Amino acid sequence: EEEAFLVSLYQFMKDRHTPIERIPHLGFKQINLWKIYKAVEKLGAYELVTGRRLWKNVYDELGGSPGSTSA
């Protein structure tokens, strides 16, 4: 399931002419795109996470630094 998601994501981004050329980082930590997807899905999807300002919860779920205020 994770591999299919990543293949689909990379193809989607390539098709819209914004390819993922390197794995994104938050601070000095590499972001696991599958885990961020699942964390956002668990909280109700992008619209709810953004609308309810839950990105700090997503960051925390991914094991982010508890003292970070910029998440």
Side-chain angles (χ1 to χ4, degrees):
E1 186 179 11
E2 179 178 351
E3 185 177 338
F5 165 78
L6 290 172
V7 167
S8 177
L9 174 63
Y10 275 80
Q11 187 60 53
F12 171 79
M13 296 301 287
K14 184 179 175 185
D15 291 347
R16 66 187 299 250
H17 305 291
T18 55
I20 299 172
E21 295 175 349
R22 56 188 168 86
I23 300 295
H25 286 74
L26 184 58
F28 296 104
K29 189 173 181 182
Q30 184 173 315
I31 296 173
N32 180 315
L33 297 173
W34 171 249
K35 286 184 179 179
I36 197 169
Y37 169 76
K38 294 304 281 182
V40 170
E41 184 181 59
K42 179 179 169 183
L43 290 171
Y46 173 80
E47 291 80 11
L48 285 175
V49 170
T50 299
R52 294 181 183 169
R53 303 176 72 177
L54 299 174
W55 286 107
K56 176 75 166 108
N57 298 58
V58 173
Y59 178 73
D60 293 344
E61 177 100 9
L62 297 175
S65 173
S68 176
T69 58
S70 64

